[in-house]
Structures are given as structure tokens and as C-alpha cells.
């Protein structure tokens, strides 16, 4: 009974939060549409400003509906995984290219480092969504320097992706909850709920479907790093095997090399 009550409370809270998030942009769209009708229709500059607000709020609604659909599909186990071998570095690079406009127009800087090749096994499209959500999250909270650092590195038999910022950071007691939908933190240092409030929850769901390790570490006033790991592809594992085979195991042969 207790578990059922907890689930029902979560459902009610989720519906309430989504309703609130939908009400705000709808109110903005109606208000600015009325302003165009009554005030700015004959003023091109004002009219364009008001139309841009309507476009932005429509985009926000679209993201919310899309995120809701994604969460619903994952929680009802309707998500089909299409796992293949792919170059993680190339996939991350393609996602970062969509943020180029922020570098050009708003002064953001994306520092991306990776191995020459980093082939992993997973659902490439879903991992791209993970990266898009993590980078977007970092952009929102990266601090005054507007620097977002993305690093891919080899860790044992996996590749680790880290997305870091120099923003306000997250209080330690809040870290376990950042993956929750619409989590409202008590700390003054934790990040405020912006966007749809579902981005990190979707990241968690996708990485869980991959059975991937993931996490976050942060220091208040210094910044935050979100990370996840994916297994090497067979191609990468075969490279390791070839390297091992190339090392002579006969002591005499080793002496000859030395």
C-alpha cells in the first residue's frame, strides 16, 4: 500500500508540474498574440519581437511534449533499442555542431577532446540524445565564462564521456536527486528547474537501458561534471587482442628484443 501511495503521489506531482509548465508558455503565446493584434501589428520592429516570443514559447511546448513522450515510452517499456558499433567521438561532434550558433552569437566556448577513434556498442541515436541533454544542461549553468568542456577517454574496457562546467555547482546532499523528474532542491546552490525539467531524467532512463555506469560530481562555487561510460566495441577489443598477441612471450625472444 505504501509503495502504491508513493507511486500515486509521484504521478500527481508529475501531472501538476507538467500542467504548470504547459500553462506558462500558453499564457505567453496568448498574451503576445493579443499584443500583436492590439498594439504592435503596424510596428515591424515590435511585431517581430513579439512574434519571436511566440516562436520561442511554441518551441518550449514542443520540447515538453517530446520529453513527456520519451519518458512515457521508457517507463512503459515501449522503447526499442537499436544497438550498433559506432564512433562515439564522431557522434558527440555532430551534437556539438548544433551548438555552433551559441559560439558565434553568444560567446560560448565548447572544448572537446577525444581519442582518434573511440568505437563503442550502443544505440547511437539515444546516446546522441543523452549528449544533447547533458550539453544543453551545461550551457544553462556554465557560469560567466560560458565554457563547456567535453572529454572522452579510455577507462579500462570502456570509454568515458565527461561534460563539465564552471557554474555554481550542486550541494552534495542534492546530487543523488538531480536525476529525478522535476526535483525541487532545498539548497540555494542547486540548479533551478528550467526547460522541461525532464532532461536529466531522460538521460538516466537511456543509460539504464544501456546498463551503463553514470554519475555526477560537483563542488559548490567550482562547477559540475556529469559522466557516463559505454563498453568498447568488438573492433576496439580486437585491437587490444592484436596488441597483446604482438608482445613476445618467450623469455628468450624478450632477451633478444632487449
Amino acid at each position: 500500500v505504501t509503495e502504491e501511495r508513493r507511486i500515486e503521489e509521484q504521478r500527481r506531482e508529475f501531472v501538476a508540474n507538467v500542467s504548470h509548465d504547459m500553462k506558462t508558455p500558453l499564457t505567453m503565446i496568448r498574451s503576445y498574440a493579443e499584443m500583436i493584434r492590439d498594439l504592435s501589428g503596424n510596428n515591424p520592429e515590435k511585431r517581430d519581437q513579439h512574434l519571436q516570443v511566440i516562436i520561442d514559447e511554441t518551441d518550449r511546448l514542443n520540447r515538453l511534449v517530446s520529453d513527456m513522450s520519451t519518458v512515457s515510452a521508457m517507463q512503459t517499456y515501449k522503447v526499442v533499442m537499436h544497438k550498433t558499433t559506432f564512433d562515439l567521438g564522431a557522434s558527440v561532434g555532430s551534437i556539438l555542431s548544433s551548438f555552433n550558433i551559441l559560439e558565434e552569437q553568444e560567446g560560448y566556448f565548447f572544448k572537446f577532446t577525444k581519442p582518434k577513434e573511440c568505437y563503442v556498442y550502443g544505440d547511437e541515436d539515444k546516446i546522441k540524445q543523452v549528449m544533447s541533454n547533458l550539453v544543453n544542461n551545461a550551457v544553462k549553468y556554465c557560469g560567466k565564462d560560458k565554457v563547456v568542456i567535453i572529454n572522452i577517454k579510455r577507462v579500462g574496457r570502456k570509454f568515458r564521456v565527461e561534460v563539465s562546467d564552471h557554474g555554481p555547482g550542486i550541494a552534495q546532499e542534492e546530487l543523488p536527486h538531480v536525476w529525478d523528474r522535476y526535483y525541487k532542491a532545498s539548497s540555494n546552490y542547486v540548479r533551478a528547474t528550467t526547460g522541461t525539467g525532464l532532461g536529466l531524467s531522460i538521460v538516466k532512463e537511456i543509460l539504464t537501458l544501456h546498463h551503463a555506469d553514470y554519475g555526477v560530481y560537483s563542488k559548490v562555487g567550482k562547477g559540475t561534471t556529469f559522466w557516463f561510460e559505454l563498453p568498447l566495441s568488438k573492433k576496439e577489443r580486437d585491437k587490444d587482442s592484436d596488441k597483446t598477441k604482438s608482445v613476445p612471450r618467450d623469455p628468450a625472444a624478450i632477451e633478444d628484443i632487449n
Side-chain angles (χ1 to χ4, degrees):
V1 177
T2 303
E3 178 65 14
E4 289 179 356
R5 183 178 300 171
R6 185 185 66 82
I7 293 173
E8 179 62 19
E9 288 177 354
Q10 286 183 340
R11 187 192 67 79
R12 289 177 180 173
E13 183 180 359
F14 177 65
V15 170
N17 283 319
V18 168
S19 298
H20 177 268
D21 269 6
M22 293 186 74
K23 184 177 180 180
T24 301
L26 285 171
T27 300
M28 294 282 283
I29 290 169
R30 179 181 176 86
S31 298
Y32 277 87
E34 290 176 344
M35 289 176 68
I36 293 171
R37 181 192 65 190
D38 299 335
L39 300 172
S40 63
N42 295 324
N43 184 325
E45 184 177 351
K46 287 288 185 183
R47 184 184 62 223
D48 288 347
Q49 290 176 1
H50 295 162
L51 285 172
Q52 188 59 52
V53 173
I54 292 175
I55 292 170
D56 292 343
E57 292 302 319
T58 303
D59 287 343
R60 181 180 169 189
L61 268 179
N62 188 50
R63 288 194 300 271
L64 177 61
V65 172
S66 177
D67 284 356
M68 286 172 59
S69 298
T70 300
V71 170
S72 176
M74 289 179 177
Q75 292 185 336
T76 54
Y77 306 103
K78 292 181 179 177
V79 173
V80 178
M81 299 286 283
H82 299 285
K83 290 187 175 182
T84 60
T85 293
F86 65 95
D87 188 338
L88 182 60
S91 294
V92 172
S94 69
I95 292 299
L96 291 178
S97 65
S98 67
F99 290 87
N100 286 346
I101 191 169
L102 295 181
E103 287 190 314
E104 296 168 1
Q105 297 185 3
E106 299 186 34
Y108 285 87
F109 177 67
F110 297 91
K111 182 180 180 182
F112 180 33
T113 56
K114 67 178 183 67
K116 185 176 180 181
E117 289 185 339
C118 37
Y119 285 92
V120 296
Y121 185 69
D123 187 318
E124 183 174 10
D125 286 340
K126 290 181 176 58
I127 293 303
K128 283 183 175 182
Q129 186 173 6
V130 166
M131 283 306 306
S132 181
N133 287 7
L134 290 180
V135 173
N136 190 54
N137 187 69
V139 165
K140 292 176 184 175
Y141 307 105
C142 63
K144 294 181 180 179
D145 66 358
K146 294 188 175 182
V147 173
V148 176
I149 302 167
I150 304 95
N151 182 38
I152 301 177
K153 61 184 178 182
R154 173 83 177 261
V155 179
R157 295 178 66 81
K158 298 179 180 180
F159 279 110
R160 172 183 283 217
V161 182
E162 297 177 336
V163 180
S164 305
D165 63 64
H166 301 140
I170 307 170
Q172 291 301 307
E173 63 270 19
E174 307 290 355
L175 288 177
H177 305 291
V178 298
W179 310 100
D180 298 346
R181 291 175 299 172
Y182 287 108
Y183 178 68
K184 291 182 174 61
S186 57
S187 170
N188 291 328
Y189 297 107
V190 80
R191 303 167 182 221
T193 300
T194 58
T196 67
L198 299 172
L200 292 179
S201 175
I202 290 172
V203 167
K204 174 186 176 182
E205 295 287 351
I206 291 174
L207 294 177
T208 299
L209 286 172
H210 279 80
H211 304 290
D213 291 329
Y214 64 92
V216 54
Y217 49 92
S218 183
K219 188 170 183 180
V220 171
K222 298 293 185 181
T224 302
T225 295
F226 286 88
W227 63 270
F228 66 91
E229 295 177 348
L230 291 174
L232 303 182
S233 68
K234 185 177 183 300
K235 179 178 180 178
E236 292 287 348
R237 296 197 304 271
D238 288 345
K239 283 184 186 177
D240 287 350
S241 298
D242 291 341
K243 289 178 182 177
T244 302
K245 291 176 183 176
S246 67
V247 176
R249 298 192 178 277
D250 181 1
I254 293 175
E255 284 183 11
D256 290 342
I257 293 174
N258 292 333

